[in-house]
């Protein structure tokens, strides 16, 4: 895939209304895997979280329409000798099943490794979420194992498969 149909940009306050509307429309698609921000209060809390130094909130934007196609969060960024983060992502219903998130995730991986200097990315996915598993597999992630009762989602502790991607560039000594 030489030419991407999407680009990434940081989420901001100006995205609030479009983001909330897209997430409300997408709630049936996201259920039961995640609960995305569908109110002003939830969006404001989300924005506050991704503005911290240990998180990065990126929107996947369709180049043709400038519409939000999805969201990718680089969470729990750890520096030092670990240089690792976890990923969270979700597509909007209007762009689901058309490869937009595959393109967005490829760009986000590149951003995490090149711009943020990370070495390891981890996506934790409920085993029943086959579409998400197939997405990370297509993006070069490999399964490391199962994490029992890993995240509390929709009122219960849920098991997750742990999928990782490592920066393939020659090792650089990280700053401590």
């Amino acid at each position: 895939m030489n030419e991407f149909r999407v680009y990434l940009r940081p989420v901001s306050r100006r995205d609030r209304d479009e983001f909330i509307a897209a997430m409300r429309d997408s709630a049936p698609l996201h259920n039961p895997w995640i609960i995305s921000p569908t109110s002003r209060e939830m969006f404001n809390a989300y924005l506050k979280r991704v503005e911290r130094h240990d998180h990065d909130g990126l929107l996947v934007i369709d180049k043709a329409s400038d519409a939000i196609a999805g969201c990718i969060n680089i969470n729990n960024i750890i520096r030092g000798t670990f240089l690792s983060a976890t990923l969270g992502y979700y597509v909007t219903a209007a762009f689901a099943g058309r490869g937009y998130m595959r393109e967005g995730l490829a760009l986000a991986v590149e951003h995490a490794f090149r711009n943020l200097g990370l070495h390891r990315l981890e996506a934790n996915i409920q085993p029943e979420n086959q579409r998400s598993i197939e997405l990370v597999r297509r993006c070069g992630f490999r399964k490391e194992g199962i994490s029992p009762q890993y995240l509390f989602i929709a009122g219960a502790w849920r098991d997750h498969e742990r999928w990782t991607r490592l920066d393939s560039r020659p090792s650089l000594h990280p700053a401590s």
Side-chain angles (χ1 to χ4, degrees), residues 37-107:
T38 55
S39 70
R40 284 178 175 241
E41 296 77 21
M42 291 171 76
F43 180 82
N44 290 339
Y46 164 68
L47 191 59
K48 186 175 181 178
R49 180 173 59 86
V50 298
E51 288 174 339
R52 294 182 357 204
H53 75 280
D54 60 345
H55 287 70
D56 198 5
L58 304 167
L59 296 180
V60 179
I61 304 295
D62 173 41
K63 286 181 180 178
S65 65
D66 272 335
I68 297 172
C71 180
I72 299 174
N73 299 306
I74 303 173
N75 300 310
N76 309 309
I77 298 169
I78 300 173
R79 301 280 179 197
T81 58
F82 197 32
L83 296 175
S84 182
T86 58
L87 291 176
Y89 50 85
Y90 34 96
V91 69
T92 62
F95 291 90
R98 298 175 22 206
Y100 284 80
M101 286 305 288
R102 185 177 65 246
E103 293 178 24
L105 190 54
L107 292 170

Side-chain angles (χ1 to χ4, degrees), residues 143-158:
K143 184 178 175 182
E144 285 191 333
I146 300 282
S147 298
Q149 299 182 25
Y150 184 71
L151 291 173
F152 193 80
I153 298 174
W157 288 101
R158 311 278 177 185

Side-chain angles (χ1 to χ4, degrees), residues 137-148:
R137 181 181 288 128
R138 278 190 247 127
C139 288
F141 286 69
R142 67 178 178 83
K143 184 178 175 182
E144 285 191 333
I146 300 282
S147 298

Side-chain angles (χ1 to χ4, degrees), residues 116-136:
L116 299 179
L118 299 178
H119 171 70
R120 174 188 173 88
L121 291 173
E122 186 173 302
N124 295 287
I125 305 165
Q126 293 175 58
E128 299 82 13
N129 190 347
Q130 289 301 309
R131 289 181 78 174
S132 188
I133 289 169
E134 188 56 32
L135 171 63
V136 295

